[in-house]
Amino acid sequence: MEADLLIHNIGQLVTLAGAAGPRRGAQMRELGIVADGALAARDGRIVAVGPARMVSDAVKASETLDARGAAVIPGFVDPHTHLPWAGDRAGEFELRIGGATYMEIMAAGG
């Protein structure tokens, strides 16, 4: 397989494997983590993810990037934030991951 980029030496690769759509509630705790993973991309799209040996053997990439054991979380971004907020919303985030709705969080004071 041809790729523009191969990211290797990934300590933890979060794939969300097995998801049949957006995860809700307790399903949000199931991340599909691959230890010692690799990711290949072509034309800005992910074309392969999985264990490093499997992906690296199957992909010929024009550029490689060593993740140096870091976590890679492709497409798993929650960019929602309010920069002027001086506090922390860790408790609210935990409630949301646990399945609480935004209305329930608001009713609890969040």
Side-chain angles (χ1 to χ4, degrees):
M1 171 187 311
E2 299 274 331
D4 301 322
L5 176 65
L6 173 67
I7 303 173
H8 62 95
N9 194 17
I10 298 172
Q12 291 185 317
L13 173 62
V14 180
T15 67
L16 296 177
R23 292 178 189 234
R24 307 238 190 278
Q27 293 176 331
M28 293 179 72
R29 291 187 181 99
E30 302 166 13
L31 300 178
I33 296 174
V34 175
D36 187 24
L39 177 147
R42 182 178 56 235
D43 298 325
R45 293 186 175 261
I46 297 170
V47 294
V49 295
R53 170 166 266 156
M54 182 183 77
V55 175
S56 296
D57 288 349
V59 172
K60 180 181 177 189
S62 54
E63 181 180 354
T64 62
L65 177 66
D66 185 343
R68 297 186 291 168
V72 173
I73 310 171
F76 189 70
V77 178
D78 181 0
H80 183 102
T81 188
H82 297 264
L83 294 178
W85 174 254
D88 118 21
R89 301 184 99 145
E92 292 174 20
F93 190 66
E94 284 187 34
L95 288 171
R96 184 70 182 130
I97 288 173
T101 67
Y102 287 114
M103 294 304 287
E104 291 169 334
I105 293 169
M106 184 179 72

